[in-house]
Amino acid sequence: PAMKEWDRLRREGKLNAVQASFFQPKPAEQLFDCIADPDNVRNLATEPAHRGTLARFRAANRAHLLRIRDTGFMPEAILRELSGDRSPVEFSRDDAAYPLSRIIDTIDRLQLAPTPATRDLQAALRDPLPTVRFWGAIAALRSPPSFSADLTPLLGDPTPSVRLAAAFAVARH
C-alpha cells in the first residue's frame, strides 16, 4: 500500500510488527543477509553469531571513510565556515582542521551504545571542535531528560548548527 495508507493503518494499530518497524527509529547499525532476507527485515547487527561480520564491515567502512576523507560528518554550514576560502576537499585533507579519525571515534562512542556514556557525552559537548559538539547534542537525544541541563551552554554556542542541535535536543526532552 501507499505510504499514506500505511500511516493510516499505523494510527489505527492495524500493522504487523514488520510493517510498524518502518515508523520506528532505526538502530545505529543494521546488518542484513540480503540473500536469505531480501526485504531486509531481520537485523542481524546485535546477534552474537554475526559479530565478526559486523566488525569486518565496520573496519572496511572506517578505512574507506578515512581514505576518501569523507566530510559527511559535518553539517554543511560548519564545513563552509571552517573551510573558509579553501575547497571542502582541500580542507578535509588537513587533519589538524578536520581530525576525521577522532570525529569518527567520538561518534562511534556516542551512537553505538544503547545510551551514550555520560562521561563521553559531557566531553563531546565541551569539545573545541564544533563538529564534535554538534554530534554530542545529537547523541543527547538518547540521554535521560535530566541531561538537558548539560546542553544549556550550547544554546549560546558560537556555531549556529550546534545551537540548533542543542535546542532541538532540549525541546525533545
Side-chain angles (χ1 to χ4, degrees), residues 53-163:
T53 301
L54 187 61
R56 272 195 337 274
F57 285 177
R58 261 190 215 147
N61 186 52
R62 179 188 179 87
H64 175 71
L65 294 170
L66 292 171
R67 185 176 59 257
I68 67 167
R69 299 298 296 179
D70 193 308
T71 58
F73 297 100
M74 255 192 233
E76 189 172 339
I78 293 176
L79 177 61
R80 291 183 65 197
E81 177 186 335
L82 294 179
S83 62
D85 293 337
R86 296 186 286 178
S87 75
V89 171
E90 182 184 354
F91 167 77
S92 73
R93 292 188 181 352
D94 180 352
D95 203 55
Y98 184 54
L100 182 55
S101 183
R102 184 168 84 79
I103 291 168
I104 293 171
D105 289 343
T106 300
I107 293 170
D108 283 352
R109 275 193 308 279
L110 295 174
Q111 298 292 342
L112 295 180
T115 57
T118 300
R119 178 187 75 254
D120 292 335
L121 197 47
Q122 288 172 337
L125 297 175
R126 292 188 306 266
D127 197 275
L129 285 176
T131 302
V132 173
R133 294 193 307 276
F134 171 84
W135 282 104
I138 295 299
L141 288 165
R142 296 177 26 259
S143 66
S146 60
F147 200 82
S148 290
D150 290 299
L151 291 165
T152 303
L154 292 185
L155 297 175
D157 195 273
T159 303
S161 296
V162 175
R163 286 195 310 267

